[in-house]
Amino acid sequence: MAFQQRPEIKISADEINALIHSYMLDSGFAHSAFTFRNETNLGRSPLGKMTFRRGQLTELLVKSLLYIEVETHWKKQPGSCNEPFTLLGAHNCKYSEEKDTTALAIALPGLKEEQKHKSNGKDTADEDMKMFDNSLPSEPSRIHEIPISRQILLVGHQEEVFCTSWNPSFHDLLATGSKDGTAKIWRVDAESGNPGSKSSRPFDSVKHIEDNVNYDAHDIGCLDWSRDGNFLATASSDDVVRIWSRSSQALLHSFRGHTDTVGTVRFSPSGTHLLSSSFDGFIILWEIRSENRIVRKYEHKSAEGENLPDIAWINDTTFACSWPGALIHVFVTTSPAIFRTYRGHTQDINLIRVTLDRKLLASVSDDKTVRIWKFEPLRLMWKSGEVWPSEGSVGGEVDQGCLHVLQGHGRSVATCKWAPPLEDGTENILITLEDDKGPIRLWDAKEGTCLKTFTDHTLTCYGVTFSPDARFLALAGLDGWLYIYSLKTHEIVRSWTERTERKNKRAIYEIDWSKDGNRLAVCLQTGTVAILDVTDLKQ
């Protein structure tokens, strides 16, 4: 029988440097890792672009110690030595009658069993591998974790960051809103910080609480950019709606008209008007070009008490809003009248969302259902100098205009989001989330079927966003984990958690995918904002 030469074992300097660099990032030594990467020219090596799982260097070192242990003891009787092995210390065998826990003692029974099975024509290599893997205690496996080398932490907020939004036209601008009473605008570009580092240079900051005013809470609960990216609107618990101008890099307007917390702000498609919704029982339509210009107020107070309706623009002159009594009303900006009513939910509606082509409207409710409504053109007439709905056109019969009632959630449905248009231009993919930890469902709204139920998170999810090309879905929750799924396979392709900050504050609140598809913004309970580089997903 010819002798078969054993394959050569090769270890390169770049491989060692790449593992050391990964270990430094895992340990939080971001600046040292940056210096090490430059001095070793790791950025010029293909290994510098590889993603390593957390603890890979440590795992290899532990396996080498196990090999040294077996090499040292293989000729000796198992159960004789309990002296530990270390990387740098010399090993001196010490005999003991105690039960042996060395690698050799663990391996020998398996080797004997292997010989027994081989004699019967069986091979137990897979079982042996499982035995050795289980002997190394580690964190539960996380699939394709995004390394620290692909994140930048934006530092500046003093308390939890609740909301974030990328500018739709100027892709390097990011807005964030916090419990500390400030909204910050960040310029995230090549000078923002090195990968794995922290940055504390906000482009601008909008203070929402005056120094001489005492509020028990001063959260920034909602942000919205105008479609052209020139204006940012914020909603706050100080009852004021603020408009920030990108061109002047300054606060443009402070709209005062509400008497309680403002929960929602939405720009019209052209950016000439703004809708705001408040716990004071009113929706206000504002004209952006003039200071404190109230066009119209819509009262939505309910007998049940506080209720914050959601609002969604259908086109530049038409908008829908949830209403007390589990209704959805449609208004036009030039009239106080109700032009269309959708009825079907049996409990409060929590949120409504309209597709980009303005043909479908989704609503989620405390009644555990999701309803898909088809929006038909309004029929108008001119009366007494104002526009009014044509007689009999308002509707309001139960489920009139409802395409599907999506059922399957076991609790109140808190939020939903439409995916961007698919390659063929259709918009029919919808994600829905419950208000407590529970299954997250992906729907084909056109067919009315559930495509996938996600159950990977252990706590409630608040963060949801799609990639601009509708190929990926990202979900993030109070358990501190973010998962990115392929919308083709519905499998996890990336995962991430913040590993350099305080572990007792892990929650993720909101996430947003940049319009160029290159980055994810993540709002953290620690008060920082993580920017994740996901350009590798575009390959």
Side-chain angles (χ1 to χ4, degrees), residues 275-340:
L275 286 169
S276 61
S277 175
S278 168
F279 284 101
D280 64 5
F282 287 92
I283 294 172
I284 298 182
L285 176 66
W286 308 86
E287 185 180 356
I288 298 302
R289 301 295 178 180
S290 59
E291 177 69 31
N292 219 32
R293 173 75 164 87
I294 297 177
V295 178
R296 185 166 284 105
K297 281 188 173 186
Y298 303 86
E299 186 173 4
H300 62 80
K301 290 182 179 179
S302 65
E304 290 77 13
E306 289 188 346
N307 179 55
L308 181 69
D310 196 27
I311 44 184
W313 287 93
I314 296 172
N315 55 48
D316 209 43
T317 60
T318 310
F319 64 92
C321 57
S322 58
W323 209 258
L327 304 175
I328 300 172
H329 287 326
V330 178
F331 295 89
V332 298
T333 57
T334 57
S335 174
I338 298 171
F339 282 74
R340 179 72 45 82

Side-chain angles (χ1 to χ4, degrees), residues 171-390:
H171 298 162
D172 59 345
L173 290 184
L174 174 73
T176 57
S178 169
K179 187 178 179 180
D180 65 8
T182 63
K184 296 186 183 295
I185 298 93
W186 310 81
R187 186 180 293 282
V188 184
D189 53 20
E191 298 180 0
S192 298
N194 301 309
S197 69
K198 294 183 178 181
S199 174
S200 57
R201 300 186 304 150
F203 180 59
D204 201 355
S205 184
V206 181
K207 191 174 182 180
H208 285 61
I209 303 298
E210 303 298 332
D211 293 331
N212 60 346
V213 178
N214 182 26
Y215 284 90
D216 292 333
H218 41 271
D219 306 354
I220 311 301
C222 183
L223 301 163
D224 193 45
W225 289 100
S226 60
R227 187 172 294 183
D228 60 9
N230 286 322
F231 302 105
L232 174 72
T234 62
S236 172
S237 57
D238 69 350
D239 315 340
V240 181
V241 176
R242 290 172 174 82
I243 308 294
W244 178 85
S245 169
R246 183 198 61 83
S247 59
S248 63
Q249 299 179 22
L251 185 64
L252 182 66
H253 296 308
S254 294
F255 289 162
R256 289 175 170 83
H258 288 293
T259 58
D260 203 342
T261 297
V262 182
T264 307
V265 285
R266 296 280 186 269
F267 275 105
S268 64
S270 67
T272 58
H273 291 85
L274 181 81
L275 286 169
S276 61
S277 175
S278 168
F279 284 101
D280 64 5
F282 287 92
I283 294 172
I284 298 182
L285 176 66
W286 308 86
E287 185 180 356
I288 298 302
R289 301 295 178 180
S290 59
E291 177 69 31
N292 219 32
R293 173 75 164 87
I294 297 177
V295 178
R296 185 166 284 105
K297 281 188 173 186
Y298 303 86
E299 186 173 4
H300 62 80
K301 290 182 179 179
S302 65
E304 290 77 13
E306 289 188 346
N307 179 55
L308 181 69
D310 196 27
I311 44 184
W313 287 93
I314 296 172
N315 55 48
D316 209 43
T317 60
T318 310
F319 64 92
C321 57
S322 58
W323 209 258
L327 304 175
I328 300 172
H329 287 326
V330 178
F331 295 89
V332 298
T333 57
T334 57
S335 174
I338 298 171
F339 282 74
R340 179 72 45 82
T341 295
Y342 296 109
R343 184 192 306 270
H345 286 292
T346 58
Q347 296 183 41
D348 286 346
I349 297 171
N350 295 315
L351 186 140
I352 58 175
R353 287 292 182 266
V354 178
T355 54
L356 192 62
D357 61 10
R358 313 298 170 181
K359 293 181 179 179
L360 297 178
L361 184 148
S363 58
V364 298
S365 169
D366 286 344
D367 65 11
K368 306 176 186 178
T369 68
V370 181
R371 277 173 159 75
I372 308 299
W373 310 88
K374 184 178 181 181
F375 183 76
E376 299 286 354
L378 300 177
R379 290 158 50 192
L380 313 177
M381 68 176 184
W382 190 259
K383 178 181 176 182
S384 302
E386 286 187 321
V387 175
W388 290 84
S390 297

Side-chain angles (χ1 to χ4, degrees), residues 75-90:
K75 287 187 177 180
K76 297 182 179 181
Q77 180 66 28
S80 59
C81 179
N82 277 332
E83 183 69 9
F85 281 79
T86 63
L87 287 174
L88 301 179

Side-chain angles (χ1 to χ4, degrees), residues 14 21 36-49:
D14 278 354
H21 180 257
F36 182 80
R37 181 183 179 89
N38 287 335
E39 290 185 349
T40 58
N41 290 320
L42 191 57
R44 299 180 182 179
S45 169
L47 293 174
K49 299 178 181 179

Side-chain angles (χ1 to χ4, degrees), residues 461-517:
C461 274
Y462 289 126
V464 55
T465 187
F466 290 93
S467 63
D469 58 7
R471 293 174 56 215
F472 301 100
L473 163 70
L475 296 171
L478 298 184
D479 59 2
W481 278 96
L482 179 147
Y483 298 117
I484 301 177
Y485 300 86
S486 165
L487 284 179
K488 182 178 181 180
T489 64
H490 302 154
E491 298 295 329
I492 295 176
V493 295
R494 294 290 184 276
S495 65
W496 179 86
T497 190
E498 215 303 277
R499 295 191 177 276
T500 64
E501 295 286 342
R502 292 168 289 178
K503 300 304 179 185
N504 62 330
K505 289 192 173 184
R506 295 175 57 90
I508 300 174
Y509 292 116
E510 189 169 271
I511 56 178
D512 193 33
W513 213 305
S514 64
K515 303 308 181 285
D516 58 10

Side-chain angles (χ1 to χ4, degrees), residues 2-43:
F3 174 74
Q4 186 175 2
Q5 187 176 1
R6 186 171 181 268
E8 185 179 4
I9 297 177
K10 291 184 178 182
I11 300 177
S12 70
D14 278 354
E15 287 177 309
I16 296 174
N17 290 338
L19 286 168
I20 294 173
H21 180 257
S22 176
Y23 173 79
M24 295 171 76
L25 289 174
D26 288 344
S27 303
F29 305 132
H31 295 291
S32 300
F34 175 73
T35 303
F36 182 80
R37 181 183 179 89
N38 287 335
E39 290 185 349
T40 58
N41 290 320
L42 191 57

